[in-house]
Amino acid sequence: MDRGDAFDPECPTRVVLDRIGDKWTVLVIGALEGGPLRFTRLRARIGGVAPKVLTQTLRAMERDGLLTRTVHAQVPPRVDYELTDLGRSLTAPLATLTDWAETHLTQILGSRESYDAATDAR
């Protein structure tokens, strides 16, 4: 299979979309765009992510080939996370989506308020 079909319910493309559509994956890719980071620096850069959730996200991204985990033999051990070429190929598309979200945030929040007010009035 050279190319998937996201509209085919049996196609694994949907699994890939789940991975790259996950907010933590998007934030990890954005945080690592500038180069490798250690876990604590990565967590601080992202903000608001539980250690367990970040660990699960990093493992899934490593499994999918989006990042590498490098353990340096020193005391205490140092672990760096870095995007692979595949992971780096997502930086531009995800930056576009992030920019769109940040640009339209006020409009979307306003729409939610209007919708909620109209729904509550029913």
Side-chain angles (χ1 to χ4, degrees):
M1 172 188 281
D2 291 340
R3 183 178 172 89
D5 177 2
F7 292 98
D8 176 354
E10 302 300 317
C11 183
T13 299
R14 291 182 178 203
V15 175
V16 175
L17 288 173
D18 282 343
R19 167 66 42 233
I20 62 174
D22 174 73
K23 72 177 174 184
W24 300 119
T25 298
V26 170
L27 293 171
V28 166
I29 288 172
L32 292 177
E33 186 174 4
L37 291 174
R38 295 172 76 172
F39 185 89
T40 53
R41 297 279 314 250
L42 182 57
R43 184 167 175 246
R45 173 73 178 104
I46 292 171
V49 62
K52 180 181 178 182
V53 172
L54 182 55
T55 297
Q56 291 170 338
T57 301
L58 292 169
R59 285 182 183 157
M61 291 177 68
E62 183 180 14
R63 182 175 182 241
D64 290 344
L66 300 176
L67 60 78
T68 58
R69 178 181 183 270
T70 303
V71 180
H72 300 277
Q74 62 185 52
V75 178
R78 190 179 101 210
V79 179
D80 290 324
Y81 295 92
E82 183 174 15
L83 294 176
T84 61
D85 288 342
L86 184 61
R88 275 189 292 281
S89 74
L90 281 168
T91 59
L94 292 179
T96 300
L97 288 172
T98 301
D99 181 62
W100 185 92
E102 291 172 348
T103 300
H104 296 91
L105 177 64
T106 304
Q107 184 180 356
I108 289 170
L109 293 178
S111 293
R112 285 182 179 185
E113 282 184 29
S114 298
Y115 178 89
D116 291 346
T119 303
D120 290 343
R122 290 183 192 173

PDB file of all heavy atoms in Angstrom, residues 95-113:
ATOM      1  N   ALA A  95       2.256  24.080  12.099  1.00  0.00           N
ATOM      2  CA  ALA A  95       2.404  25.512  12.389  1.00  0.00           C
ATOM      3  C   ALA A  95       1.288  26.300  11.716  1.00  0.00           C
ATOM      4  O   ALA A  95       0.759  27.259  12.294  1.00  0.00           O
ATOM      5  CB  ALA A  95       3.772  26.007  11.925  1.00  0.00           C
ATOM      6  N   THR A  96       0.907  25.884  10.516  1.00  0.00           N
ATOM      7  CA  THR A  96      -0.198  26.542   9.811  1.00  0.00           C
ATOM      8  C   THR A  96      -1.499  26.364  10.589  1.00  0.00           C
ATOM      9  O   THR A  96      -2.257  27.319  10.772  1.00  0.00           O
ATOM     10  CB  THR A  96      -0.338  25.985   8.378  1.00  0.00           C
ATOM     11  OG1 THR A  96       0.874  26.230   7.668  1.00  0.00           O
ATOM     12  CG2 THR A  96      -1.508  26.605   7.649  1.00  0.00           C
ATOM     13  N   LEU A  97      -1.762  25.161  11.068  1.00  0.00           N
ATOM     14  CA  LEU A  97      -2.980  24.904  11.847  1.00  0.00           C
ATOM     15  C   LEU A  97      -2.964  25.661  13.174  1.00  0.00           C
ATOM     16  O   LEU A  97      -3.980  26.236  13.585  1.00  0.00           O
ATOM     17  CB  LEU A  97      -3.143  23.409  12.115  1.00  0.00           C
ATOM     18  CG  LEU A  97      -3.543  22.565  10.915  1.00  0.00           C
ATOM     19  CD1 LEU A  97      -3.479  21.079  11.264  1.00  0.00           C
ATOM     20  CD2 LEU A  97      -4.939  22.936  10.452  1.00  0.00           C
ATOM     21  N   THR A  98      -1.822  25.687  13.832  1.00  0.00           N
ATOM     22  CA  THR A  98      -1.705  26.401  15.100  1.00  0.00           C
ATOM     23  C   THR A  98      -1.929  27.897  14.888  1.00  0.00           C
ATOM     24  O   THR A  98      -2.647  28.544  15.656  1.00  0.00           O
ATOM     25  CB  THR A  98      -0.325  26.143  15.737  1.00  0.00           C
ATOM     26  OG1 THR A  98      -0.180  24.736  15.956  1.00  0.00           O
ATOM     27  CG2 THR A  98      -0.176  26.876  17.057  1.00  0.00           C
ATOM     28  N   ASP A  99      -1.335  28.438  13.835  1.00  0.00           N
ATOM     29  CA  ASP A  99      -1.526  29.850  13.519  1.00  0.00           C
ATOM     30  C   ASP A  99      -2.997  30.143  13.245  1.00  0.00           C
ATOM     31  O   ASP A  99      -3.537  31.148  13.712  1.00  0.00           O
ATOM     32  CB  ASP A  99      -0.666  30.243  12.309  1.00  0.00           C
ATOM     33  CG  ASP A  99      -0.818  31.711  11.959  1.00  0.00           C
ATOM     34  OD1 ASP A  99      -0.479  32.554  12.808  1.00  0.00           O
ATOM     35  OD2 ASP A  99      -1.295  32.004  10.840  1.00  0.00           O
ATOM     36  N   TRP A 100      -3.658  29.272  12.508  1.00  0.00           N
ATOM     37  CA  TRP A 100      -5.077  29.452  12.218  1.00  0.00           C
ATOM     38  C   TRP A 100      -5.880  29.459  13.518  1.00  0.00           C
ATOM     39  O   TRP A 100      -6.738  30.325  13.726  1.00  0.00           O
ATOM     40  CB  TRP A 100      -5.583  28.340  11.293  1.00  0.00           C
ATOM     41  CG  TRP A 100      -7.009  28.554  10.881  1.00  0.00           C
ATOM     42  CD1 TRP A 100      -7.453  29.208   9.778  1.00  0.00           C
ATOM     43  CD2 TRP A 100      -8.177  28.128  11.603  1.00  0.00           C
ATOM     44  NE1 TRP A 100      -8.835  29.215   9.765  1.00  0.00           N
ATOM     45  CE2 TRP A 100      -9.292  28.557  10.865  1.00  0.00           C
ATOM     46  CE3 TRP A 100      -8.384  27.429  12.781  1.00  0.00           C
ATOM     47  CZ2 TRP A 100     -10.598  28.315  11.280  1.00  0.00           C
ATOM     48  CZ3 TRP A 100      -9.687  27.190  13.206  1.00  0.00           C
ATOM     49  CH2 TRP A 100     -10.779  27.628  12.454  1.00  0.00           C
ATOM     50  N   ALA A 101      -5.585  28.520  14.422  1.00  0.00           N
ATOM     51  CA  ALA A 101      -6.309  28.429  15.697  1.00  0.00           C
ATOM     52  C   ALA A 101      -6.098  29.692  16.532  1.00  0.00           C
ATOM     53  O   ALA A 101      -7.049  30.235  17.112  1.00  0.00           O
ATOM     54  CB  ALA A 101      -5.860  27.190  16.465  1.00  0.00           C
ATOM     55  N   GLU A 102      -4.853  30.159  16.591  1.00  0.00           N
ATOM     56  CA  GLU A 102      -4.564  31.360  17.373  1.00  0.00           C
ATOM     57  C   GLU A 102      -5.212  32.599  16.756  1.00  0.00           C
ATOM     58  O   GLU A 102      -5.713  33.471  17.464  1.00  0.00           O
ATOM     59  CB  GLU A 102      -3.052  31.553  17.501  1.00  0.00           C
ATOM     60  CG  GLU A 102      -2.400  30.495  18.372  1.00  0.00           C
ATOM     61  CD  GLU A 102      -0.883  30.532  18.364  1.00  0.00           C
ATOM     62  OE1 GLU A 102      -0.283  31.236  17.512  1.00  0.00           O
ATOM     63  OE2 GLU A 102      -0.295  29.841  19.202  1.00  0.00           O
ATOM     64  N   THR A 103      -5.233  32.680  15.440  1.00  0.00           N
ATOM     65  CA  THR A 103      -5.807  33.824  14.736  1.00  0.00           C
ATOM     66  C   THR A 103      -7.326  33.893  14.905  1.00  0.00           C
ATOM     67  O   THR A 103      -7.889  34.969  15.040  1.00  0.00           O
ATOM     68  CB  THR A 103      -5.455  33.767  13.233  1.00  0.00           C
ATOM     69  OG1 THR A 103      -4.030  33.804  13.100  1.00  0.00           O
ATOM     70  CG2 THR A 103      -6.072  34.900  12.447  1.00  0.00           C
ATOM     71  N   HIS A 104      -7.973  32.743  14.894  1.00  0.00           N
ATOM     72  CA  HIS A 104      -9.437  32.700  14.917  1.00  0.00           C
ATOM     73  C   HIS A 104     -10.030  32.368  16.287  1.00  0.00           C
ATOM     74  O   HIS A 104     -11.240  32.156  16.401  1.00  0.00           O
ATOM     75  CB  HIS A 104      -9.931  31.699  13.862  1.00  0.00           C
ATOM     76  CG  HIS A 104      -9.589  32.131  12.474  1.00  0.00           C
ATOM     77  ND1 HIS A 104      -8.421  31.760  11.855  1.00  0.00           N
ATOM     78  CD2 HIS A 104     -10.233  32.929  11.601  1.00  0.00           C
ATOM     79  CE1 HIS A 104      -8.372  32.297  10.656  1.00  0.00           C
ATOM     80  NE2 HIS A 104      -9.449  33.017  10.479  1.00  0.00           N
ATOM     81  N   LEU A 105      -9.200  32.352  17.304  1.00  0.00           N
ATOM     82  CA  LEU A 105      -9.653  31.984  18.638  1.00  0.00           C
ATOM     83  C   LEU A 105     -10.809  32.850  19.123  1.00  0.00           C
ATOM     84  O   LEU A 105     -11.833  32.337  19.591  1.00  0.00           O
ATOM     85  CB  LEU A 105      -8.479  32.065  19.630  1.00  0.00           C
ATOM     86  CG  LEU A 105      -8.824  31.784  21.083  1.00  0.00           C
ATOM     87  CD1 LEU A 105      -9.310  30.354  21.237  1.00  0.00           C
ATOM     88  CD2 LEU A 105      -7.619  32.039  21.961  1.00  0.00           C
ATOM     89  N   THR A 106     -10.688  34.148  19.004  1.00  0.00           N
ATOM     90  CA  THR A 106     -11.733  35.062  19.486  1.00  0.00           C
ATOM     91  C   THR A 106     -13.046  34.818  18.763  1.00  0.00           C
ATOM     92  O   THR A 106     -14.116  34.791  19.383  1.00  0.00           O
ATOM     93  CB  THR A 106     -11.280  36.530  19.304  1.00  0.00           C
ATOM     94  OG1 THR A 106     -10.038  36.701  19.989  1.00  0.00           O
ATOM     95  CG2 THR A 106     -12.298  37.498  19.853  1.00  0.00           C
ATOM     96  N   GLN A 107     -12.977  34.632  17.461  1.00  0.00           N
ATOM     97  CA  GLN A 107     -14.183  34.383  16.668  1.00  0.00           C
ATOM     98  C   GLN A 107     -14.850  33.075  17.092  1.00  0.00           C
ATOM     99  O   GLN A 107     -16.078  33.012  17.238  1.00  0.00           O
ATOM    100  CB  GLN A 107     -13.817  34.338  15.184  1.00  0.00           C
ATOM    101  CG  GLN A 107     -14.983  34.186  14.262  1.00  0.00           C
ATOM    102  CD  GLN A 107     -14.549  34.155  12.786  1.00  0.00           C
ATOM    103  OE1 GLN A 107     -13.383  34.321  12.468  1.00  0.00           O
ATOM    104  NE2 GLN A 107     -15.506  33.932  11.911  1.00  0.00           N
ATOM    105  N   ILE A 108     -14.058  32.045  17.312  1.00  0.00           N
ATOM    106  CA  ILE A 108     -14.607  30.740  17.704  1.00  0.00           C
ATOM    107  C   ILE A 108     -15.222  30.820  19.094  1.00  0.00           C
ATOM    108  O   ILE A 108     -16.334  30.314  19.326  1.00  0.00           O
ATOM    109  CB  ILE A 108     -13.529  29.651  17.612  1.00  0.00           C
ATOM    110  CG1 ILE A 108     -13.217  29.389  16.133  1.00  0.00           C
ATOM    111  CG2 ILE A 108     -13.967  28.370  18.314  1.00  0.00           C
ATOM    112  CD1 ILE A 108     -12.015  28.518  15.880  1.00  0.00           C
ATOM    113  N   LEU A 109     -14.533  31.473  20.031  1.00  0.00           N
ATOM    114  CA  LEU A 109     -15.079  31.609  21.383  1.00  0.00           C
ATOM    115  C   LEU A 109     -16.378  32.406  21.367  1.00  0.00           C
ATOM    116  O   LEU A 109     -17.331  32.076  22.085  1.00  0.00           O
ATOM    117  CB  LEU A 109     -14.049  32.244  22.315  1.00  0.00           C
ATOM    118  CG  LEU A 109     -12.807  31.395  22.609  1.00  0.00           C
ATOM    119  CD1 LEU A 109     -11.839  32.161  23.507  1.00  0.00           C
ATOM    120  CD2 LEU A 109     -13.181  30.054  23.214  1.00  0.00           C
ATOM    121  N   GLY A 110     -16.429  33.444  20.527  1.00  0.00           N
ATOM    122  CA  GLY A 110     -17.661  34.217  20.386  1.00  0.00           C
ATOM    123  C   GLY A 110     -18.796  33.373  19.827  1.00  0.00           C
ATOM    124  O   GLY A 110     -19.943  33.468  20.286  1.00  0.00           O
ATOM    125  N   SER A 111     -18.499  32.545  18.846  1.00  0.00           N
ATOM    126  CA  SER A 111     -19.508  31.657  18.268  1.00  0.00           C
ATOM    127  C   SER A 111     -20.017  30.666  19.305  1.00  0.00           C
ATOM    128  O   SER A 111     -21.220  30.383  19.367  1.00  0.00           O
ATOM    129  CB  SER A 111     -18.932  30.907  17.072  1.00  0.00           C
ATOM    130  OG  SER A 111     -18.652  31.795  16.022  1.00  0.00           O
ATOM    131  N   ARG A 112     -19.114  30.152  20.125  1.00  0.00           N
ATOM    132  CA  ARG A 112     -19.527  29.223  21.180  1.00  0.00           C
ATOM    133  C   ARG A 112     -20.470  29.900  22.166  1.00  0.00           C
ATOM    134  O   ARG A 112     -21.473  29.319  22.578  1.00  0.00           O
ATOM    135  CB  ARG A 112     -18.303  28.691  21.925  1.00  0.00           C
ATOM    136  CG  ARG A 112     -17.523  27.672  21.153  1.00  0.00           C
ATOM    137  CD  ARG A 112     -16.363  27.168  21.970  1.00  0.00           C
ATOM    138  NE  ARG A 112     -15.612  26.153  21.246  1.00  0.00           N
ATOM    139  CZ  ARG A 112     -14.604  25.476  21.759  1.00  0.00           C
ATOM    140  NH1 ARG A 112     -14.208  25.702  22.998  1.00  0.00           N
ATOM    141  NH2 ARG A 112     -13.985  24.571  21.036  1.00  0.00           N
ATOM    142  N   GLU A 113     -20.110  31.121  22.561  1.00  0.00           N
ATOM    143  CA  GLU A 113     -20.968  31.857  23.496  1.00  0.00           C
ATOM    144  C   GLU A 113     -22.347  32.081  22.906  1.00  0.00           C
ATOM    145  O   GLU A 113     -23.361  31.878  23.573  1.00  0.00           O
ATOM    146  CB  GLU A 113     -20.333  33.198  23.853  1.00  0.00           C
ATOM    147  CG  GLU A 113     -19.223  33.116  24.864  1.00  0.00           C
ATOM    148  CD  GLU A 113     -18.695  34.495  25.244  1.00  0.00           C
ATOM    149  OE1 GLU A 113     -19.468  35.480  25.197  1.00  0.00           O
ATOM    150  OE2 GLU A 113     -17.505  34.568  25.584  1.00  0.00           O
TER     151      GLU A 113
END
